[in-house]
Amino acid sequence: MNQRVELIGLSQPELVAFVETLGEPAYRGRQIFAALQHRRLRSFDEMTDLPKELRARLNEVAQASSLQIESRYLSSDGTRRYLMKTRDNLPVETVFIPEEHRDTICFSSQSGCPLQCTFCLTAQLGLLRSLTPGEIVEQIIIALNDAYGTGVKPPRGTNLVGMGAGEPFLNFDSLLKALRIMADPNGLHIVPNRVTISTAGIVPRILDLANVFDRPHLAISLAAPTDALRNELMPINKRWPLEELLNACKVFEHSLKPGERFTFEYVMLDGVNDSDEHARQLANLLNRHGLRAKVNLIPHNPAEPLPYQPSRAERVTRFKDILEAKGIHVYVRRPRGRDIFAACGQLAARHETLNAGRSLLSEVAT
Ligand code: SF4
């Protein structure tokens, strides 16, 4: 078994402490942190400003990188999807979405996912394992290096969304640690204000997050306005039903500071959760709890063998109008990367199973 220390998942003070155990001065720890996190180097051999002996020692006792790109796919809209592998050969998927004023990177918090949302392909993998802080951070490093070149400063700001594979709040400590490492000004310097984490509704962690100072924005995936329907679409609802979930949301909303965002996500499934009645139920539910959070409507991304289709455009508009008439702020999200199965709910290490969609893919050799 590989016992080498994963340096990409260490904070700057931890790296300083680590090099001191090797008899090295503290500044070497800061130097290595900057090499990994700011210069985005993924091997000790590239750190030519370190003495050769130290690089050799680091190669024996530590590792600079924990993921490898297995495949990458380029969408006609510029979106890039990566299938990466951990050192123990588990799939990790990451999506890079370029936009006019910023880039967004959607990262995974787990390999697979233990929750069983019926509209999500990742659910079919089950949980393989939660990712380490280093495996979370390195997804961002790999995506930025691939898009711009090793260490090259991105021309636009980088936003992160924790909406890839996995339930982030079932890997809460590693997630928060990864976000703190990424916020370091001597590293990637992506501050929590640029990060949004989406949860299926792990109530105790929502309450925990209400007490975290340096926290990301929060999004709650609802998908249904009643317990009966939500139990079916998101079985986690049986553990934490809507009443409990929305009470926790209210506590969280009370804790919001200026500039923080809190949203609900509502995936729209044709003929399943998109009727006028569903819209009225959703508006009444949020209003009854006094929640002012905006609702993002997300047209479902079809993915075989899932039995759902996206709601038609006129249905989405009608749903939005009903919510707005009841005082709810609504935004309709534009799907990206559909042709490379890069959209929400489609990440399931499709590399091996791409078939019908293959002609749509523009695969870039790695
Ligand atoms: S939607 Fe998110 S929480 Fe639900 S199964 Fe998929 S990855 Fe897991």
Side-chain angles (χ1 to χ4, degrees), residues 92-355:
V92 176
E93 293 199 67
T94 311
V95 180
F96 175 90
I97 307 157
E99 284 166 298
E100 202 182 335
H101 300 296
R102 62 175 191 276
D103 300 318
T104 300
I105 299 174
C106 176
F107 67 87
S108 296
S109 52
Q110 299 182 307
S111 180
C113 182
L115 304 191
Q116 294 291 311
C117 305
T118 55
F119 50 83
C120 173
L121 208 54
T122 310
Q124 303 198 349
L125 292 177
L127 176 64
L128 302 171
R129 86 168 153 75
S130 285
L131 300 181
T132 63
E135 288 163 342
I136 295 173
V137 172
E138 200 174 357
Q139 292 174 63
I140 314 311
I141 288 175
I142 288 176
L144 288 176
N145 281 356
D146 185 61
Y148 298 115
T150 300
V152 175
K153 190 173 183 297
R156 298 176 284 269
T158 306
N159 286 356
L160 305 182
V161 292
M163 298 184 185
E167 164 50 60
F169 281 6
L170 293 179
N171 193 16
F172 195 69
D173 293 344
S174 293
L175 173 77
L176 288 189
K177 182 168 184 197
L179 295 184
R180 284 175 184 141
I181 292 170
M182 291 193 279
D184 194 314
N186 295 320
L188 286 164
H189 200 191
I190 301 174
V191 295
N193 190 37
R194 290 209 165 256
V195 185
T196 302
I197 300 298
S198 174
T199 177
I202 309 296
V203 164
R205 297 293 87 77
I206 295 170
L207 296 172
D208 286 345
L209 196 72
N211 295 312
V212 172
F213 178 74
D214 52 340
R215 65 187 176 196
H217 303 294
L218 178 63
I220 309 278
S221 176
L222 272 185
T226 62
D227 279 326
L229 184 56
R230 199 164 188 268
N231 285 346
E232 218 177 278
L233 298 176
M234 301 181 75
I236 190 70
N237 193 70
K238 294 177 193 159
R239 176 71 182 82
W240 288 291
L242 279 169
E243 197 60 25
E244 245 183 279
L245 174 60
L246 295 186
N247 285 341
C249 289
K250 192 65 200 165
V251 172
F252 187 80
E253 198 172 77
H254 273 308
S255 78
L256 284 176
K257 300 187 289 286
E260 288 189 321
R261 276 195 310 276
F262 175 43
T263 49
F264 290 106
E265 314 271 302
Y266 193 94
V267 62
M268 296 208 56
L269 308 168
D270 182 37
V272 175
N273 65 354
D274 64 350
S275 70
D276 289 1
E277 181 59 12
H278 290 129
R280 283 189 286 271
Q281 287 171 332
L282 177 61
N284 292 343
L285 182 72
L286 299 181
N287 286 336
R288 198 170 68 242
H289 284 83
L291 287 158
R292 283 198 287 275
K294 191 175 67 176
V295 174
N296 283 335
L297 298 179
I298 307 168
H300 171 64
N301 296 295
E304 280 186 23
L306 302 180
Y308 303 107
Q309 289 302 315
S311 301
R312 285 164 290 120
E314 58 275 19
R315 194 80 300 277
V316 177
T317 306
R318 171 90 182 134
F319 201 91
K320 176 175 184 276
D321 290 347
I322 294 172
L323 290 178
E324 284 178 339
K326 286 180 171 281
I328 310 282
H329 295 286
V330 187
Y331 177 80
V332 179
R333 195 173 317 142
R334 185 166 59 105
R336 296 288 304 265
R338 264 191 177 161
D339 58 342
I340 54 166
F341 303 105
C344 287
Q346 289 186 316
L347 302 183
R350 289 188 70 111
H351 177 61
E352 297 80 3
T353 52
L354 286 170
N355 40 47

Side-chain angles (χ1 to χ4, degrees), residues 42-93:
R42 299 184 56 238
S43 75
F44 299 122
D45 296 335
E46 290 169 279
M47 299 176 194
T48 48
D49 50 340
L50 296 179
K52 213 171 163 188
E53 307 71 50
L54 176 56
R55 279 183 271 150
R57 182 85 178 105
L58 288 171
N59 274 323
E60 277 167 26
V61 298
Q63 57 193 42
S65 110
S66 49
L67 297 175
Q68 289 300 324
I69 297 184
E70 177 133 314
S71 316
R72 52 185 173 167
Y73 304 95
L74 184 61
S75 164
S76 53
D77 68 12
T79 300
R80 295 166 182 230
R81 176 170 74 94
Y82 303 92
L83 172 59
M84 306 179 191
K85 282 274 158 87
T86 61
R87 287 191 177 252
D88 50 346
N89 215 27
L90 298 176
V92 176
E93 293 199 67

